[in-house]
DNA sequence: GTTTAGGGTTGG
């Protein structure tokens, strides 16, 4: 570029409603639609871009632009709502409409639409003019973008935002791939660190004859946040070239309602959805590989990192069943106020062994295959597998005093309305119910709740246990 | 200083 030292060069920018055919212009615009670069049958990559500004946006008006470049990375990767500055854009007439095209000397700058973001642009060239006037124009357009609902949501969508029957653009990381039907259907198992509200159709990719490519380490970390996306027809080949570990953008992903006999209505009244990229390229439909260093991946990567670090505290213990059961039951009812609570999930195994061992374990998020633990005290040959149980302790208080009461095992499952510890790990919907329930009763001035408490005597004194109580 | 492609009203 020769722009570097030409201080006298002052670029004149036209509003989008001032353009005329067969001219070359400089414009600012807001991205209304962008199809990422794809290889043409010629020598270049091409992309389609639609831009609008306050002068041209009503009645679905926009300026369609067609950009070419020999290198894919020299074309802008854009999301809806981003702001672009285009220099030396050729305006032509095509099918009765004005159209922008990259010509000789064409260059672009792209700006984040967030008001808080720095005004530093991403550019096609290393040398570019960038003046105070440019900054002001970007700020103006940011204000305008912020006032328009249709321009700010799409590129911030995550799986958790999805509602049945809608279409979305989502950034995510690929965990595994699998051929569903040769040349027709291709599966991407992905995650973005969030979980949709609705249950999502899951494919069984365990069959021996399936062509599966996977990153087990990522699958383990993603656990129940892994989601299946089915690509059809046009997108089959794109899918085949994607490797687990890579980041992608799914364009026009359909959260279609899925009708199946296997849905578990008792676990959720929400309809099951299936995530699909349908055939064709309407609405920019497609799957696009994203460079690892693309700035737009920042939010996703931060979220994945945070989720990956989440661990569940677990205690492992073996104890003597006869001792823990030998209590004298004296049930009575009390109305108590829960003051604080702690909860833990315990892997437990009953063995005829006098020792009580307790070890802290950290388990990572996992799901489809929950971790199995074997008792560290039992002989290696017996392979005594431990069972997941709930173990909670409440500090209860009312006007007459305080007492500490435990809930565990079957009573704890009853307490959570039949959610088992394993289900709590595997079903995020249920996990959230448990968290929500515990959160509701553990506020400093927690609500009153009615519970059945029985007392029993142990060698070290009287203990209390909650039973036959249900958190509602 | 060519050519490429030129968004499209939504299944599995």
């Amino acid at each position: 570029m020769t722009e570097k030292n030409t201080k006298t060069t002052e670029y004149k920018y036209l509003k989008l409603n001032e353009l005329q055919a067969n001219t070359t212009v400089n414009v600012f615009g807001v991205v209304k639609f962008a199809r990422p670069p794809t290889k043409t049958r010629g020598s270049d990559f091409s992309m389609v871009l639609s831009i609008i500004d306050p002068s041209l946006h009503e009645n679905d008006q926009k300026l369609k632009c067609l950009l070419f470049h020999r290198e894919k990375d020299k074309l802008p990767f854009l999301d809806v709502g981003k702001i672009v500055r285009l220099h030396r854009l050729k305006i032509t007439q095509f099918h009765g409409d004005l159209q922008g095209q990259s010509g000789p000397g064409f260059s672009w700058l792209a700006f984040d639409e967030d008001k808080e973001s720095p005004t530093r642009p991403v550019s096609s060239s290393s040398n570019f003019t960038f003046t105070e006037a440019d900054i002001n124009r970007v700020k103006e357009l940011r204000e305008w973008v912020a006032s328009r609902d249709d321009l700010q949501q799409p590129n911030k969508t995550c799986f958790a935002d999805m509602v049945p029957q809608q279409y979305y653009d989502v950034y995510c990381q690929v965990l595994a791939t699998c051929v569903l039907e040769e040349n027709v259907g291709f599966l991407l198992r992905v995650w973005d660190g969030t979980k949709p509200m609705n249950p999502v159709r899951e494919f069984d990719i365990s069959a021996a004859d399936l062509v599966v490519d996977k990153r087990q380490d990522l699958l383990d970390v993603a656990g129940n946040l892994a989601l299946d996306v089915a690509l059809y027809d046009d997108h089959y080949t794109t899918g085949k070239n994607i490797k687990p570990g890579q980041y992608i953008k799914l364009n026009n992903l359909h959260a279609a309602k899925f009708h199946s006999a296997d849905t578990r209505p008792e676990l959720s009244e929400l309809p099951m959805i299936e995530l699909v990229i349908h055939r064709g390229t309407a609405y920019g439909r497609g799957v696009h590989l994203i460079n690892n260093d693309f700035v737009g991946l920042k939010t996703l990567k931060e979220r994945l990192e945070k989720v990956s670090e989440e661990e569940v505290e677990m205690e492992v213990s073996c104890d003597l069943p006869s001792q823990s059961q030998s209590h004298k039951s004296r049930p009575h009812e009390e109305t108590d106020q829960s003051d604080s609570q702690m909860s833990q999930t315990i892997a437990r195994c009953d063995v005829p062994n006098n020792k009580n061992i307790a070890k802290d374990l950290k388990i990572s998020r996992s799901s489809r295959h929950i971790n199995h633990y074997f008792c560290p005290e039992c002989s290696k040959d017996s392979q005594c597998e431990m069972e997941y149980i709930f173990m909670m302790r409440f500090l209860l208080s009312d006007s007459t005093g305080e007492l500490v009461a435990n809930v565990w095992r079957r009573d704890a499952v009853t307490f959570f309305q039949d959610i088992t510890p394993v289900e709590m790990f595997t079903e995020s919907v249920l996990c959230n119910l448990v968290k929500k329930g515990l959160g509701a009763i553990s506020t400093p001035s927690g609500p009153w709740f009615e519970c059945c408490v029985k007392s029993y005597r142990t060698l070290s004194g009287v203990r209390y246990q909650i039973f036959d109580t249900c958190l509602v």
Side-chain angles (χ1 to χ4, degrees):
Chain A
M1 296 289 105
T2 52
E3 295 166 35
K4 198 177 170 186
N5 297 316
T6 53
K7 276 197 173 151
T8 48
T9 311
E10 264 207 28
Y11 286 89
K12 182 159 168 38
Y13 297 96
L14 293 181
K15 289 189 211 156
L16 294 181
N17 69 346
E18 298 171 335
L19 307 182
Q20 290 185 320
N22 307 315
T23 56
T24 296
V25 299
N26 305 314
V27 293
F28 274 91
V30 174
V31 177
K32 182 177 173 34
F33 172 87
R35 195 174 66 199
T38 46
K39 185 85 180 69
T40 66
R41 276 179 288 180
S43 57
D44 294 344
F45 283 85
S46 83
M47 68 175 289
V48 179
L49 181 66
S50 282
I51 56 171
I52 53 175
D53 73 1
S55 79
L56 187 88
H57 67 93
E58 278 160 352
N59 303 320
D60 209 27
Q61 291 185 100
K62 68 237 152 188
L63 179 71
K64 253 186 237 177
C65 300
L66 192 56
L67 311 181
F68 291 97
H69 204 284
R70 200 166 283 267
E71 289 170 66
K72 190 181 180 185
D73 293 341
K74 290 285 172 68
L75 288 169
F77 195 94
L78 298 166
D79 295 300
V80 172
K82 292 234 184 297
I83 294 158
V84 288
R85 189 191 77 177
L86 307 177
H87 275 180
R88 290 167 292 268
L89 183 71
K90 255 183 6 192
I91 305 299
T92 59
Q93 189 106 27
F94 184 75
H95 285 343
D97 289 322
L98 292 181
Q99 186 184 61
Q101 250 180 267
S102 55
F106 171 79
S107 73
W108 56 267
L109 298 186
F111 304 85
D112 214 288
E113 70 277 30
D114 289 339
K115 286 199 220 164
E116 299 78 28
S117 295
T119 40
R120 212 194 129 61
V122 177
S123 168
S124 53
S125 50
S126 48
N127 297 324
F128 53 84
T129 59
F130 189 49
T131 66
E132 200 64 35
D134 289 326
I135 292 175
N136 291 334
R137 184 67 183 139
V138 169
K139 283 183 178 167
E140 263 173 49
L141 287 171
R142 279 180 174 174
E143 289 290 337
W144 186 63
V145 170
S147 73
R148 295 178 54 104
D149 288 348
D150 55 326
L151 291 181
Q152 41 201 331
Q153 264 81 18
N155 45 327
K156 296 201 172 60
T157 337
C158 55
F159 288 119
D161 297 333
M162 294 198 306
V163 165
Q165 307 287 56
Q166 299 298 309
Y167 294 82
Y168 300 93
D169 294 347
V170 190
Y171 286 103
C172 54
Q173 186 182 30
V174 179
L175 306 165
T177 67
C178 175
V179 173
L180 291 175
E181 190 185 337
E182 198 69 43
N183 294 312
V184 177
F186 196 82
L187 175 86
L188 298 179
R189 188 160 283 173
V190 304
W191 76 318
D192 80 343
T194 73
K195 187 98 176 164
M197 195 105 80
N198 296 68
V200 178
R201 180 188 184 185
E202 212 175 283
F203 286 86
D204 183 5
I205 56 169
S206 59
D209 57 329
L210 288 175
V211 190
V212 180
D213 190 5
K214 60 179 179 179
R215 278 272 304 271
Q216 192 58 52
D217 57 328
L218 293 176
L219 284 166
D220 288 344
V221 175
N224 62 355
L225 297 178
L227 295 168
D228 286 348
V229 175
L231 315 180
Y232 289 102
D233 304 321
D234 311 53
H235 317 293
Y236 178 89
T237 324
T238 324
K240 270 212 116 170
N241 291 321
I242 291 171
K243 296 271 159 291
Q246 289 178 328
Y247 294 94
I248 57 169
K249 186 180 184 189
L250 298 164
N251 278 332
N252 199 235
L253 176 71
H254 188 194
K257 261 190 191 155
F258 180 65
H259 306 283
S260 154
D262 306 338
T263 50
R264 301 171 67 186
E266 77 276 11
L267 286 181
S268 168
E269 289 164 20
L270 296 169
M272 180 173 275
I273 55 172
E274 58 177 343
L275 305 177
V276 186
I277 305 272
H278 295 302
R279 75 152 74 103
T281 54
Y283 285 95
R285 199 180 279 168
V287 182
H288 298 275
L289 195 59
I290 308 299
N291 283 346
N292 211 13
D293 56 357
F294 175 59
V295 285
L297 285 177
K298 199 169 155 250
T299 319
L300 172 67
K301 284 184 168 177
E302 282 170 359
R303 196 193 301 133
L304 295 187
E305 200 154 315
K306 193 164 161 256
V307 171
S308 306
E309 283 163 3
E310 276 174 18
E311 284 180 319
V312 186
E313 293 272 358
M314 276 218 333
E315 187 186 289
V316 180
S317 72
C318 286
D319 60 10
L320 207 74
S322 56
Q323 211 171 53
S324 62
Q325 302 301 317
S326 65
H327 57 261
K328 243 180 17 193
S329 226
R330 189 164 54 88
H332 62 279
E333 280 198 19
E334 283 179 4
T335 304
D336 289 315
Q337 187 182 19
S338 149
D339 209 19
S340 69
Q341 62 55 44
M342 51 181 266
S343 88
Q344 264 183 325
T345 308
I346 293 189
R348 168 175 171 137
C349 148
D350 293 331
V351 286
N353 185 328
N354 265 335
K355 273 190 285 183
N356 251 359
I357 54 153
K359 284 183 187 169
D360 282 331
L361 270 189
K362 297 238 178 189
I363 64 164
S364 63
R365 329 174 30 82
S366 71
S367 70
R368 283 160 209 269
H369 53 287
I370 192 151
N371 289 331
H372 296 277
Y373 295 100
F374 294 96
C375 173
E377 282 298 298
C378 295
S379 73
K380 293 209 167 56
D381 314 321
S382 68
Q383 286 285 287
C384 173
E385 187 177 334
M386 297 197 288
E387 163 200 5
Y388 284 86
I389 65 160
F390 287 118
M391 172 80 195
M392 288 173 292
R393 178 163 295 170
F394 291 88
L395 175 62
L396 305 174
S397 73
D398 67 5
S399 52
T400 65
E402 290 185 336
L403 70 81
V404 172
N406 298 321
V407 202
W408 59 44
R409 302 204 142 202
R410 188 62 232 168
D411 289 328
V413 172
T414 303
F415 190 82
F416 289 126
Q417 299 191 68
D418 293 334
I419 297 170
T420 67
V422 169
E423 281 175 330
M424 196 190 73
F425 279 123
T426 55
E427 306 281 340
S428 65
V429 178
L430 300 182
C431 183
N432 289 335
L433 277 177
V434 168
K435 273 194 208 159
K436 215 174 120 193
L438 289 174
I441 58 167
S442 61
T443 50
S445 56
W448 289 88
F449 79 101
E450 204 171 87
C451 61
C452 308
V453 180
K454 59 185 172 187
S455 61
Y456 59 96
R457 212 172 297 279
T458 69
L459 292 173
S460 44
V462 177
R463 295 282 181 268
Y464 299 91
Q465 190 180 331
I466 294 174
F467 72 101
D468 207 12
T469 300
C470 203
L471 188 58
V472 284

